[in-house]
Each structure stands twice: as C-alpha cells, then as structure tokens.
Amino acid sequence: MDDLTGPYYVAWWITNRCNLLCVHCINDSGPFHQFDNELAGDEIERVARQIVELGVPQGSITGGEPLIHKDFFKVAGYLSDNGVSLNVETDAQLINRETARRIARLNLRAMQVSVDGATQSTYGLMRRTTTGSAELSRVLDAIRMLAEEGVRVSVNFVPTRFSANEVGQVIDAVAALGAKTFYTGRIMRVGRAAMNWKWLAPTEAQYQGFFATLNQKAKEYSGRVRIIYYPYTVTHELKFRTENPAASFVILPNGKVKMIASMPFLCADLRRHSLAEAWERYKIAWKHPMVREFSEKVKDDDPMLASNNSFVELDLEQPVIQSKV
Amino acid sequence: MALSNRHVKVREEKRGTVIFDTLNEKVYTINETGASILKLLLSGNTLDGTARILAQDYNSDEAAVRSDVIQFVDELAARSLVDKVPAT
C-alpha cells in the first residue's frame, strides 16, 4: 500500500440522514441523524473532483440513504462519467419507475440493495421507521424495476437471530427479480447492531446452517447469481487489516476521513486536507499506537466496537513512535 | 482496442500498471512490457502497429514481438478485460 498513488476504493458516506431507522445500522443513521455540518455545494463538488483527479478506480456512495441527498444524482453522475466505477448502497424504499430510469442513466457498477428478510415480519423487524416498519414489497418492486431498466443489482443481506434461516428464500426471491450478486457475512458488531447485539446476533449453530445454505445456493445459482460471503467476524477482519491495511477509506458526511468502518479513528479532514494528503495521512495512521492498541484490545473485548461512531481524531502531526510496552 | 467495459480501469503505479476489473472484483498488475503494449493498443494502434513500434524501441525481431503481443492480448481477452483487436 505504501507505494500506491491513491486509494483503490473510496466509500463516500454522503449523508447520515436516512428514511429508515434500522436496528442493525452500522452508521447509526436515521431520519433525524443528519450531521449538523455535512458537506454541501462547492465542498461536495471539490471532493468529487479530487476523487477523479487522484484516479480512484472504484467507489461507493453510502449513507444514511444516498437517494435523499439533494446532490446525489449530480455527484454520482459526475463520478461515473469521469472514470469511477461506482456502487450505490440503498434501502431502495424510495425507488419508483422514474427513479429507476434516472439511476440507469448513471451507468453504475451496481445498485446495492439491502434485503434482510424473506417475509414482511422479519424485514419489518429490522427495517424500522419512526412510525412502524418499512415495506418489503417496495424493495422487491424496486429490484424488479431496476433490473428491467438495465441496472446491475446486487443485494446485501445481514443475518440476525430471527432472519438467518430465511437467507435461502431471499436468494431465490431476488434472483427471480434479476439481481446478479448477493453479498452477506456475519452481522458486524458495530454501531446500532452492537447496541442491540443480545437479540440480534445469531448463534453459532444458526451460522452453521446459514453458511451451509449459502454454499448450496452458490452451487444452485452458479453462472447466474454470484453469491459472495465473508465468513469471519469483524474482530478477525480488524486484526488482519491492522497488519494488511486495505487501499481504501471512508469519507464521512462532514468530510472527515475514517480509516475503516469498524474503528472510530479519523485520519484527515477534507475541509483542511486534499484527498491526496488524506491518502498519505491514512497510510501513517495505521501505524499510530492508538490504532494498534484498539485492534489488539478489541480481540478480547468486542463490545468496544460499539464505539465505532464515537469518532477519535488522530494526532498525526507528531512523528509516530511505536512502542512494544 | 478498447477495454471491454467502462468498469475496467487502468492506473499507473510505481510498481507497474494495475488493471482493475471492478465488476468481477479482481486486480491485475502487469509488467513494464505489458504496460507498453496496453498503452499502445488503447491509444488506437493495431496489433501490427504495436509490434512494429515495440520492435523498433527494443531493437527486436518484429515477428517475435508480434507473437508476444498477440499472446498478451489473448490473455487479457480471456479475462474479459479488453475487446478484440484488429490485426492490421
């Protein structure tokens, strides 16, 4: 990573406002959860321009719900038209035929839609609104419309104690609607999921059945739907990433740069630093003692991951001294 | 020659040229010779034209270079990274 000219992937968390209030949201997003200092106007354009200028080959726009950001189509269109292979993560609740047509014109790598249950009762238990539950039927309609308009649709599924056993049915349903890729893995113990961990986390026995179903479905849908899953826990990933940082980072709604979703550490501020400077700071940040200490401690204390949205700005102005003590 | 689709990206790095197949989530690093071939083909040269230029640059036999160019392009095409290339 040290000799790379820029990140391979940038995840742009463009707003923390969301139409939903999901019980497992890693970003703790919601209808009233917009940061009070989110990037806007010229600042958004400057960040988008710098992503292109730095030659970042691929990225994603996430939230919150990206589609409710007023500049979403402008930003996504600019990035996609200027060489960034773009993925957009959405709950798909706001997609109608006209929106699907507009999305098709963006030429995205994929529209990644969250579907966490095969039944309304399961889906609605996870995907909450301020007044009740989101409708599964709206998401399934959206997938169908997106696929009909030629948008490549991928689906993301988060298993919980009450939804893990529905994964096979979800794969069947979204495959029939035209989804081409299915992503899943263990639920991440971060953000709101960490707060609700006791009633969300599947048991190991459930995970065994879950992964067995995935293997069976991967064979069944071979050549039609790619089924991709990451079988490890978030602490396992953090341990690996501490030694092998990915060439990617997260841009927060306020322009701060977060090293990785599951840790609270910020390494740059795009209101003060260019994206190229942020990249150099990111590389240094992985060697910071606080980062290494967090990664070490979290192995035995994974409730620490609940602090991933209590952001900590790293002091990178002083030379980083590593100590084994 | 063109990249097979808009989601295949190419970036120059210190350690070589990197090709990103973002749809299939694969990354390839190619050596200096491969990078030279790719650059010439993507800028509109034919296979023959590319072989001629490289043979001159490296003071090598044009037929041998052409064979290497074809092999390299076949490997890229087999991975669906590029479209078919006109020979002449």
Side-chain angles (χ1 to χ4, degrees), chain A residues 3-8 54-58 80-81 83-86 106-109 152 183 226 228, chain B residues 5-29:
Chain A
D3 59 355
L4 297 181
T5 56
Y8 281 174
L54 202 55
V56 178
Q58 55 185 327
S80 185
D81 289 346
V84 183
S85 179
L86 199 63
L106 294 173
N107 288 309
L108 301 174
R109 180 170 76 254
R152 200 174 290 103
Y183 294 103
R226 295 175 70 211
I228 300 169
Chain B
N5 66 69
R6 61 185 286 139
H7 299 289
V8 175
K9 308 292 179 186
V10 178
R11 195 166 86 181
E12 306 278 339
E13 295 289 354
K14 285 177 196 161
R15 61 180 170 178
T17 295
V18 183
I19 304 175
F20 301 87
D21 177 0
T22 67
L23 287 180
N24 293 303
E25 299 176 34
K26 289 181 178 166
V27 179
Y28 304 91
T29 303

Side-chain angles (χ1 to χ4, degrees), chain A residues 24-313:
Chain A
H24 60 300
C25 181
I26 66 168
N27 293 341
D28 198 15
S29 304
F32 309 108
H33 294 60
Q34 184 169 350
F35 290 10
D36 57 12
N37 57 350
E38 296 193 352
L39 297 178
D42 292 349
E43 295 173 320
I44 294 253
E45 286 177 25
R46 190 180 68 243
V47 171
R49 201 166 52 244
Q50 290 182 358
I51 290 172
V52 170
E53 286 169 356
L54 202 55
V56 178
Q58 55 185 327
S60 59
I61 299 183
T62 74
E65 172 51 51
L67 288 172
I68 59 178
H69 192 284
K70 71 179 180 62
D71 292 328
F72 166 74
F73 280 99
K74 191 174 167 187
V75 173
Y78 175 82
L79 291 173
S80 185
D81 289 346
N82 286 280
V84 183
S85 179
L86 199 63
N87 192 57
V88 174
E89 297 175 15
T90 178
D91 60 41
Q93 289 286 327
L94 305 173
I95 295 174
N96 57 24
R97 179 65 65 181
E98 177 51 30
T99 322
R101 287 188 181 135
R102 287 186 78 188
I103 291 167
R105 291 196 287 272
L106 294 173
N107 288 309
L108 301 174
R109 180 170 76 254
M111 199 69 178
Q112 185 174 310
V113 177
S114 297
V115 185
D116 307 305
T119 60
Q120 175 57 35
S121 59
T122 304
Y123 177 84
L125 202 52
M126 293 178 73
R127 301 271 162 188
R128 312 308 295 266
T129 67
T130 50
T131 54
S133 300
E135 294 292 326
L136 175 62
S137 59
R138 291 182 73 102
V139 182
L140 300 179
D141 283 346
I143 293 173
R144 180 179 45 76
M145 283 188 279
L146 288 166
E148 284 171 356
E149 296 299 331
V151 178
R152 200 174 290 103
V153 178
S154 62
V155 165
N156 190 59
F157 178 95
V158 176
T160 60
R161 190 160 294 190
F162 47 87
S163 67
N165 63 337
E166 294 183 6
V167 68
Q169 290 168 264
V170 174
I171 292 171
D172 293 341
V174 300
L177 293 169
K180 296 297 178 199
T181 313
F182 188 88
Y183 294 103
T184 188
R186 290 172 184 262
I187 184 172
M188 292 169 70
R189 190 171 185 163
V190 291
R192 213 173 282 143
M195 291 179 242
N196 294 321
W197 193 247
K198 281 185 181 168
W199 64 278
L200 286 181
T203 63
E204 275 309 308
Q206 283 182 302
Y207 270 129
Q208 281 181 20
F210 174 73
F211 290 124
T213 302
L214 290 174
N215 289 332
Q216 180 202 325
K217 290 292 176 187
K219 285 179 193 158
E220 184 182 337
Y221 285 99
S222 177
R224 291 180 289 156
V225 180
R226 295 175 70 211
I227 296 174
I228 300 169
Y229 66 88
Y230 186 72
Y232 304 110
T233 63
V234 66
T235 49
H236 182 281
E237 190 200 1
L238 259 186
K239 182 174 184 296
F240 179 76
R241 286 290 165 222
T242 307
E243 303 308 322
N244 309 277
S248 68
F249 52 59
V250 183
I251 300 172
L252 301 192
N254 58 6
K256 302 282 174 85
V257 174
K258 194 166 191 246
M259 296 171 62
I260 187 169
S262 50
M263 283 204 296
F265 301 115
L266 309 177
C267 59
D269 179 352
L270 297 181
R271 284 191 163 111
R272 290 192 293 127
H273 306 108
S274 68
L275 198 72
E277 289 169 333
W279 172 241
E280 295 306 317
R281 293 173 66 87
Y282 170 81
K283 290 189 275 190
I284 296 168
W286 278 103
K287 301 180 178 82
H288 197 284
M290 285 174 71
V291 173
R292 302 193 77 84
E293 184 185 19
F294 184 95
S295 175
E296 191 60 34
K297 276 188 178 171
V298 83
K299 279 186 299 186
D300 305 314
D301 184 20
D302 56 9
M304 275 176 75
L305 291 164
S307 68
N308 74 313
N309 294 319
S310 301
F311 305 125
V312 176
E313 296 200 34

